[in-house]
Amino acid sequence: MTRVAAVDCGTNSVRLLVADADPVTGELTELDRRMEIVRLGQGVDRTGRLAPEALERTFAACRGYAEAVRELGAERVRFVATSATRDASNRDEFTRGVLDILGVEPEVVTGDREAEFSFTGATHALSGATHPGPYLVVDIGGGSTECVVGTERVSAARSVDIGCVRLTERHALSDPVTDAQAAALRADIAAALDEAAETVPLGEARTLVGLAGTVATVTGIALGLDAYDSAAIHHTAVGVDEVAAIADRLLRSTHAERAAIPVMHPGRVDVITAGAQILLAVMERAGAAELIASEHDILDGIALHTARAGG
């Protein structure tokens, strides 16, 4: 077993997993998993730069993570940065800050590499008897969405620039969303999925697996949870009709109404509407009757790849 620390820094959140990993069996024994919403991608779609206040929020979270990594004695640390950082002209400033705090240089990974990590994390513990492949793994982030198809390994992947933060900012969504905004939002999502479908056979998978905060939130709403409960959400199946009803409810809701939903993280209140529309559109495009929510995701994939690669 190798003790590894994996950090996933996306457009909306930065997350940490410290685990003991068996590189042969793929077994992960979780020691610490945490998440902070830092909105690193604030304004990136418009300015092409990481905002100073967004950088400071992210560095503050990283300082706390560095302390946890030291206390738990992780042998290997890997920091992966995704969509917002790929797009930013001042990403060197971000890289220097992370290196100073955590002692490792962040890997600003491609969308395809991000997809590989997500697929590994989401599928390594799935039972083929209960959830048969091939799988379509959909990771809805703040800045991008990854669509990945495969069975034991990735056969096709595409990252497209639709994420809950990016689309909320791009369409300046009001509260609640107007009919015109909703139509423009759906058209934007449809165009991106057309692009994804050029590479990924979205309709050929037998099991659709959804990852990240949007999926967890929609699943928690479907379950009627009083608070976020990872164990309850993990591997829960949610039907497309229920997702459609929740997406429509969010579209018509006010900020206060969304904030009052017990399972809603405060940092997702303003972006969940766009995220739910992405999720629904993917399910409809794939012809999926249901979604399997996974709490194992890119973090687990980063940890496993780190243990197997030897660094």
Side-chain angles (χ1 to χ4, degrees):
M1 300 289 278
T2 302
R3 183 159 295 183
V4 297
V7 180
D8 164 40
C9 186
T11 301
N12 197 42
S13 63
V14 59
R15 301 180 306 137
L16 169 71
L17 170 64
V18 182
D20 288 330
D22 187 323
V24 178
T25 66
E27 179 185 357
L28 284 176
T29 303
E30 182 179 317
L31 302 173
D32 192 356
R33 188 187 295 258
R34 57 180 78 177
M35 182 272 289
E36 291 191 37
I37 291 183
V38 295
R39 197 62 59 85
L40 178 62
Q42 171 192 333
V44 167
D45 192 56
R46 177 177 53 84
T47 68
R49 294 180 60 81
L50 299 168
E53 60 271 29
L55 283 168
E56 183 46 46
R57 290 193 298 267
T58 305
F59 294 155
C62 288
R63 292 182 191 104
Y65 291 177
E67 184 176 347
V69 168
R70 284 192 297 270
E71 288 178 354
L72 290 169
E75 301 167 46
R76 299 173 186 158
V77 181
R78 193 169 191 174
F79 189 111
V80 170
T82 54
S83 177
T85 319
R86 281 197 299 267
D87 297 342
S89 61
N90 61 333
R91 71 185 192 184
D92 286 350
E93 185 178 350
F94 168 77
T95 298
R96 288 193 302 272
V98 171
L99 181 58
D100 287 345
I101 295 166
L102 280 160
V104 294
E105 187 168 317
E107 300 174 48
V108 183
V109 296
T110 64
D112 286 345
R113 187 66 166 150
E114 183 177 355
E116 182 181 357
F117 287 144
S118 294
F119 184 86
T120 299
T123 63
H124 81 278
L126 284 178
S127 164
T130 308
H131 304 115
Y135 305 105
L136 170 59
V137 175
V138 178
D139 187 346
I140 302 171
S144 65
T145 292
E146 282 64 55
C147 299
V148 197
V149 165
T151 302
E152 293 182 359
R153 57 183 57 86
V154 174
S155 59
R158 189 70 173 263
S159 177
V160 287
D161 284 340
I162 50 169
C164 57
V165 175
R166 188 186 298 271
L167 292 188
T168 298
E169 292 184 351
R170 180 182 294 171
H171 295 279
L173 297 182
S174 59
D175 193 24
V177 175
T178 67
D179 289 345
Q181 288 173 336
L185 178 64
R186 292 186 182 113
D188 200 355
I189 295 168
L193 293 182
D194 286 343
E195 180 185 334
E198 294 173 2
T199 306
V200 180
L202 298 175
E204 293 184 9
R206 296 179 66 189
T207 301
L208 172 62
V209 185
L211 314 181
T214 288
V215 171
T217 302
V218 170
T219 303
I221 294 171
L223 290 171
L225 297 180
D226 291 331
Y228 174 76
D229 184 339
S230 179
I233 290 168
H234 188 51
H235 287 177
T236 288
V238 185
V240 65
D241 290 342
E242 191 156 20
V243 172
I246 292 168
D248 184 66
R249 170 188 168 189
L250 294 170
L251 201 65
R252 299 174 187 279
S253 65
T254 64
H255 186 279
E257 289 168 340
R258 294 191 300 277
I261 297 171
V263 76
M264 185 74 65
H265 189 288
R268 299 200 189 280
V269 174
D270 60 334
V271 297
I272 188 64
T273 298
Q277 290 297 314
I278 296 169
L279 176 59
L280 176 60
V282 170
M283 294 185 74
E284 291 176 341
R285 183 67 67 96
E290 66 178 21
L291 162 85
I292 306 300
S294 177
E295 289 286 85
H296 295 168
D297 52 25
I298 187 172
L299 270 178
D300 303 75
I302 295 167
L304 284 170
H305 278 269
T306 301
R308 290 168 177 166

